[in-house]
Amino acid sequence: MPSVAFYTLGCKVNFYDTEAIWQLFKNEGYDQVDFDEQTADVYLINTCTVTNTGDKKSRQIIRRAIRRNPEAIVAVTGLRRADFSGRDSGHPWGGSGYRYTGPRQDFAIC
């Protein structure tokens, strides 16, 4: 059975959203595994980058998921600062291999 791991940063709304997304994965037959304890096929990171601290923490968590399983799908959703441009190719959300979709550009597949 495929597995998914979640990491949520930010406010109560983000935690609610993560739970709603988990229900969608669950309905598709995924098992939920602990983000820090087990390797997953999919990592979903619900971010809050409104502050510099949140932005830094989000980048760290994204890199952690990629290191844990380079073959996994890493999906990033949530809040992102409007001034974030992703121009720095060293940034986990910038450079090649990353894509934003949606009107607010708040989802990336890594």
Side-chain angles (χ1 to χ4, degrees):
M1 201 175 259
S3 60
V4 60
F6 296 95
Y7 199 100
T8 304
L9 297 114
C11 65
K12 290 180 185 180
V13 173
N14 277 14
F15 284 90
Y16 174 83
D17 290 346
T18 298
E19 181 58 32
I21 295 167
W22 158 235
Q23 292 305 315
L24 296 172
F25 275 97
K26 184 176 172 182
N27 291 343
E28 294 298 320
Y30 280 76
D31 283 333
Q32 186 174 3
V33 298
D34 185 272
F35 189 94
D36 292 316
E37 299 295 324
Q38 296 171 281
T39 302
D41 300 307
V42 177
Y43 292 91
L44 189 126
I45 302 160
N46 194 347
T47 67
C48 180
T49 66
V50 175
T51 66
N52 286 337
T53 302
D55 190 48
K56 180 180 177 183
K57 179 77 170 178
S58 295
R59 290 192 313 266
Q60 290 172 342
I61 297 303
I62 293 165
R63 284 192 296 266
R64 186 186 310 168
I66 292 168
R67 278 192 311 269
R68 186 171 294 282
N69 183 0
E71 301 299 316
I73 294 170
V74 178
V76 181
T77 190
L79 297 173
R80 173 171 75 82
R81 287 196 328 246
D83 66 345
F84 175 78
S85 64
R87 287 176 284 179
D88 176 3
S89 63
H91 195 291
W93 287 5
S96 62
Y98 303 94
R99 172 182 81 208
Y100 298 116
T101 61
R104 292 186 357 223
Q105 297 185 339
D106 61 357
F107 190 78
I109 300 292
C110 305

